[in-house]
Amino acid sequence: MGVEVRVEGLTKSFGSQNIWSDVTLTLPPGEISVLLGPSGTGKSVFLKSLVGLLKPERGSIVIKDTDIVRTSEHRLYEVRKLFGVLFQDGALFGSMNLFDNIAFPLREHTRKSESDIRWIVLEKMDMVGLQGAEGKLPGEISGGMRKRAGLARALVLDPEIILFDEPDSGLDPVRVAYLNQLIVDLNAQIDATFLIVTHDIGTARTVPDNLGLLFRRHLAMFGPREQLLTSQEPVVRQFLNGRREGPIGMSEEKDVAQVEAEMAALEARGGDQHNGVGPKGASGGDAVPPQLEPSPGLPERQAQRRRQERVARMLHEFDPATAQAIRASLPEDLLAQADAGVFAPTPLAGGRHWAAESAPAGGAAVLPGPRGRS
Amino acid sequence: MTDGEKPKAPGLLDGKLSPLRPLRASGNLFAFALDVARSLPRRPFQFREFVQQTWFVASVTILPTALVAIPFGAVIALQLGSLTRQLGAESFTGSASVLAVLREASPIVTALLIAGAGGSAICADLGARKIRDEIDAMEVLGISPIQRLVVPRVLAAMVVATLLNGLVSVVGVAGGYFFNVVLQGGTPGAYLASFGALAQVEDFWSGEVKALVFGLIAGIVASYKGLNAGGGPKGVGDAVNQSVVITFLLLFAVNFVMTAVYFQLVPPKGQ
Ligand SMILES: Nc1ncnc2c1ncn2[C@@H]1O[C@H](COP(=O)(O)OP(=O)(O)OP(=O)(O)O)[C@@H](O)[C@H]1O
Ligand SMILES: [Mg+2]
C-alpha cells in the first residue's frame, strides 16, 4: 500500500525571497492528489522539498516516521527509494540512450540479470508508448517523448510515492488522455500515493481524489476534489475556470477595485456558466465531473473505499454544495452510517484535515476535523 | 500570518555586502572538498567514468598546452640567451632555461590550461546537467552525484595535470633548445652539456607535485561551481566564468606557497 505523506507548517525561502509558508497538508496513502497553482508559486520547489532536495527552514515532512526535513543524509537516501519522481523536463541523463536511462535505477539498486532488466525496461517503455525508441539519445527526441521516458524511469523500481511535475505539459490532448488513464490504472495496480502538479484543468477535475491550490505564498485550499470543484472561493474559481477575471494577475497581484469591476462584468455576462470554454480543459461552472475509472479488467482502486470512508466522516464539515457533491459519490452503506450520526462531529484538531488511518472505521471515534481555511 | 513574518521583498543588495559572505562561500567550498574526500574510498569506484573523463580532459587540454608551451619555452630562451650573453655566462644558457621551464613555466602553463580548458569543460558539463535536473534526478534515484560524477572528474583532472606538466617540460625544453641553438646561434654541445649544471631532478618532481595539487583544486572548484549552478543557461555561463577566475586565483597563490616551501626543503644545487 502507498505511504502517507504528512506535511506540517512547511516554509521555504531562497535568501530573503519567501516562496511559500505554513503549508500543511496530508497526502492520504494510496490516493491521487493534484496540486495546482499559478506559474512561479513554487510547486516544483514543493515537490523537490518532499524528496529532500531542498531544505525548508521550518515545518516537517513525515514519511514512514522519518522527518525528511531533519533526517540524516544517509537515512534520506533510504527514504528516497520509496519515491518515483518525474521532473518537469524529464531530467533524463543526456549521455545515455533511453534504454540505459530507464535501466539505470535497476542496474544501480537491484541485482537483476541483464535479461530481466531488458524485460522490465521494454515493458515500461511499452506502457508509456515508447516502443522502438530504446536506442535514441534524450537530445534526439521530442519533449513529450522525454517526458514519457522520464515517467518510465520513475516507475521501474515500483515506487510507493510517485511525484509528477507537470506530466501533461508538452503532450498533445490525446496523449494527455492516455497518460491520465495510465495514472489511474497504475494507481489501481500498485496502490501508490500520487501527487501531480499540473496546469491542466481537465486533469485536475477528473483524475484526483484530492485537490490543492497554492497561491500567494500559501496553500489556499487542500481537500477532497469536490471541495475545490464546488468552492466559491474567487481564486479557486478563477483558476478552475481558466479566466482572466479574478484575483490572479499576469504577473503582479491585482488591486481589489479592478477585481471587483471584472467580476461584475463577468456576472453581467451570465457568470462562469456562460463564459464558454477556457484554456487547458477549463470549462464553465462548478460541476463535479465523474472521476476517471481504471480500465476494464483491472482491479478496483483500493484507495477508493478508503477515501469514501474518510470523506464520509468529514461530511458534516463541508458547506452544503460540497457535501451534496460528496454524497453523490458515496455508496449506500456509508451514506446510511453518516446519516445515522455514526461519524460524530469533533472539534478541530491539530491542523489535520482527514481522519487518521488508526481510527476505527465506522466507530464513533474522535476524529480530527478538517483544516479550517485561514 | 502575523505582520511580523510578512515576506520581505527581495532587495538588490540583500546580504551581498555582508562580511560573512566570502567566509561562507569558502566554507562551503571546503565542506564540498571534504565530501569529495569522504566519497573517495566508497565502492564501487566509477572506473569507466574516470577513464572517460581522463580522456575528455586530456583531449581538451593537450593541444592548447603544447601550443602554449612552445612560445613559452621560446620566450625564456630568448630572454636567457641575451641575459647570459650580457653577464658573460653563455655556458649556463641551457641549464638556466631548463631550470626556468621546469620550476616555473611548466606549473604555470599547467595551471592556466587545467583551469582554463579542463576546469571550464568540467564545470560546463556539470552545470548543464544541474539545470536540466539530471543531478536532482540522480539524487532521487539514491545515487550520490559526488561519488558518481565528482570523484572521477577530480581524479581525472589530477592525472591529466601531471601529464600536462610532463608535456610542458618536454616541449618547453625542446622549444628552448630550438630557439637558442637554431635561431640565436648557440652551440648545441654547450647547451646540452650544461643541462645538469643548475637544474636537478627534484625540480621536475616539484613541478609534478604542484601539478597534482593544481589538478585537485581545479577539479574541486569546477565541480563545486558546476553542481551549484542555477538560473538557467546564463547561470551555467556565470558558474564557468567564476570557476575559472577562482581557480586561477587559488592556483597562483598555492603556487607561491609551494615554491616557497620547496626552497626550504630542497637546497639549490651548488650550496
Ligand atoms: N534553486 C533556486 N534558487 C533560487 N530561487 C529558486 C530556486 N528554485 C526556484 N526558485 C524560485 O522559486 C520560485 C518558484 O519556482 P518553481 O519552479 O517552484 O515554480 P512553479 O510553481 O513550479 O512554476 P511553473 O508552474 O512555471 O513550473 C520562482 O520564483 C523561482 O525563481
Ligand atoms: Mg514547476
Side-chain angles (χ1 to χ4, degrees), chain A residues 212-245:
Chain A
L213 177 70
L214 266 180
F215 177 60
R216 283 193 194 162
R217 299 183 283 280
H218 282 278
L219 187 64
M221 202 182 261
F222 185 87
R225 67 192 197 106
E226 291 88 354
Q227 187 185 352
L228 272 86
L229 292 178
T230 58
S231 169
Q232 296 304 312
E233 186 68 25
V235 187
V236 178
R237 288 203 56 131
Q238 182 187 5
F239 208 87
L240 289 177
N241 284 295
R243 53 172 152 80
R244 276 171 290 114
E245 295 84 357

Side-chain angles (χ1 to χ4, degrees), chain A residues 28 45 103 107-108 144 152 156 169 191 199 218 246 324 331:
Chain A
V45 170
R107 289 182 178 148
E108 290 294 331
V156 281
S169 72
D191 197 24
H199 291 301
H218 282 278
Q324 181 74 37

